[in-house]
Amino acid sequence: MQQLINVILSILLFGFIIFFHELGHFLAARLFGVGVVSFSLGMGPKILSVERGGTEYAIRAVPFGGFCAMCGEDEAAEKLSPDDFNAHAPWQRFLILIAGACFNFLLAFLLAAVLLVQTGVDKPYIGKLMPGMPAEAAGLKPGDRILAVNGSKATFFRDVSLQLQFHAGEPVTFRYETAEGELRTVTVTPQYLEEQGGYYTGIVSAGSTPVKDPLSLVYYAAGEVNLNIRMAIQSVRMLVKGAVSPKNLTGPVGIVQAISDNMDAARPYGLRAVLLSLLSFGLLLSANLGVMNLLPLPALDGGRALLTAVEAVIRRPLNRKIEAMVHTAGFALLMGLMLYVLWNDVMRIVQHTGF
């Protein structure tokens, strides 16, 4: 029963994030006078639907995905009516296409603000040092504040962890401020710890501190979104470089399983911990969905936005038939990738459960 509740809550969270994404497209389309044929949450056969103002609002059977179908998206110029998508200026279409991702970043910001109010912010202060580790040997001390890691500004203590994660075993350059206010720079080579299975410098966070004012809340909430966006971009880079296997990709089924596992881990600490776990995962997923949709690939919002930008530069419409063929081919490849990811997700769950 508990697992069923986990799955339901996970699907609802995933669905809400997708709804918010499609809402961005919908509101931007309406703002510029583009007609919306269908606003659907989920994919596949319709379960419920209602028509209002020329738009069909529907809930569909498969609770992953959704779409905002606009009038005349694939129509040639001579067939357009005033409320068709392609009848509008390239800059308007560009904004409509990126609005979904922008709304995901907005949702991530709102979730980050709620989390920060509840948990505080993990500022990059050193709380203690692990004895005999490289950081201690390099002269770092408790109370020091890490200002930058490998030249990248450190807003949170997790910025340090992020650099260690994506540059495992490589020397790390810390720019830091001592407790006495002196600015220093030091390079530390992480040490591999067999028990933990990773590379560590030996610095430990001082823990979270409350956010004291609205301006700080806005600053750190924006920082949380920025951190999650950078994590997503770095993950894509590592995948392209071959540093990460495609087998590590996770789709909707794997995401639901991960959310469920996190809820199980948080449950012994009470309802508040479970809700914070859901919010934290929502922040991560929303920021990642925004980044993935902006990738300049056919069939994705980023690919369509790129072609719209090209159209604005050359100042003439692209061939809609060729554009449609490109996006159709891209969609077919995307579906193939989703099936591959789905298979990986199922295999991981089978191995995990022992079936």
Side-chain angles (χ1 to χ4, degrees):
M1 184 63 181
Q2 195 63 65
Q3 286 301 313
L4 178 61
I5 293 173
N6 285 357
V7 170
I8 291 172
L9 289 175
S10 301
I11 291 174
L12 288 174
L13 175 64
F14 200 70
F16 178 70
I17 292 169
I18 293 171
F19 164 78
F20 216 77
H21 176 92
E22 299 302 336
L23 182 63
H25 292 308
F26 177 82
L27 293 178
R30 284 297 175 87
L31 175 65
F32 293 119
V34 175
V36 177
V37 178
S38 177
F39 182 88
S40 292
L41 184 60
M43 306 293 283
K46 286 181 285 188
I47 299 175
L48 296 171
S49 67
V50 62
E51 186 173 329
R52 293 285 186 274
T55 301
E56 179 192 59
Y57 300 90
I59 297 176
R60 296 177 181 268
V62 182
F64 303 117
F67 59 89
C68 177
M70 291 170 278
C71 297
E73 286 188 80
D74 300 315
E75 296 296 327
E78 62 271 12
K79 300 179 181 179
L80 299 176
S81 62
D83 64 345
D84 283 351
F85 177 76
N86 282 321
H88 288 70
W91 69 270
Q92 293 176 322
R93 285 182 276 133
F94 181 86
L95 291 178
I96 292 170
L97 289 169
I98 67 169
C102 291
F103 260 55
N104 278 131
F105 297 143
L106 173 61
L107 177 59
F109 173 83
L110 296 174
L111 293 175
V114 174
L115 280 166
L116 287 166
V117 169
Q118 293 296 318
T119 64
V121 56
D122 62 323
K123 294 179 181 179
Y125 284 96
I126 299 175
K128 62 180 181 178
L129 295 165
M130 296 169 64
M133 293 293 287
E136 183 183 57
L140 289 162
K141 296 179 180 179
D144 291 347
R145 177 171 184 165
I146 307 297
L147 302 176
V149 188
N150 290 339
S152 179
K153 181 181 177 182
T155 303
F156 306 99
F157 192 84
R158 281 164 294 150
D159 284 301
V160 180
S161 305
L162 185 64
Q163 288 293 331
L164 293 174
Q165 178 184 346
F166 289 120
H167 302 279
E170 298 177 12
V172 179
T173 299
F174 293 120
R175 184 169 179 270
Y176 67 100
E177 181 182 21
T178 67
E180 295 75 32
E182 184 180 348
L183 296 179
R184 294 180 182 176
T185 300
V186 66
T187 298
V188 179
T189 300
Q191 179 180 327
Y192 186 79
L193 298 181
E194 195 72 39
E195 286 187 18
Q196 286 81 1
Y199 288 89
Y200 295 86
T201 60
I203 62 174
V204 180
S205 171
S208 297
T209 57
V211 181
K212 295 180 180 180
D213 58 83
L215 286 178
S216 294
L217 180 61
V218 170
Y219 173 78
Y220 285 113
E224 285 280 1
V225 178
N226 178 50
L227 177 64
N228 280 272
I229 288 174
R230 286 190 287 118
M231 288 173 61
I233 292 173
Q234 188 64 32
S235 297
V236 172
R237 284 177 180 167
M238 292 181 71
L239 182 65
V240 171
K241 289 180 179 179
V244 174
S245 170
K247 291 184 178 181
N248 292 326
L249 291 173
T250 299
V253 173
I255 290 170
V256 168
Q257 181 64 42
I259 296 172
S260 178
D261 290 344
N262 271 265
M263 290 173 64
D264 283 339
R267 190 163 286 108
Y269 302 97
L271 178 60
R272 179 176 179 273
V274 172
L275 293 176
L276 290 176
S277 172
L278 275 174
L279 289 176
S280 181
F281 233 103
L283 163 59
L284 174 68
L285 288 178
S286 195
N288 272 263
L289 182 61
V291 171
M292 296 306 165
N293 269 276
L294 288 181
L295 293 177
L297 300 174
L300 295 179
D301 295 336
R304 298 180 66 197
L306 178 62
L307 291 180
T308 303
V310 170
E311 187 176 316
V313 172
I314 65 176
R315 297 188 177 183
R316 61 183 175 83
L318 299 175
N319 187 310
R320 299 301 177 204
K321 290 184 179 180
I322 294 177
E323 185 180 354
M325 288 173 62
V326 170
H327 290 311
T328 300
F331 182 77
L333 290 173
L334 185 62
M335 289 300 100
L337 177 63
M338 290 300 294
L339 288 173
Y340 171 76
V341 171
L342 175 62
W343 174 258
N344 282 342
D345 285 344
V346 172
M347 288 299 99
R348 275 195 292 264
I349 292 172
V350 168
Q351 292 172 5
H352 178 71
T353 56
F355 288 126

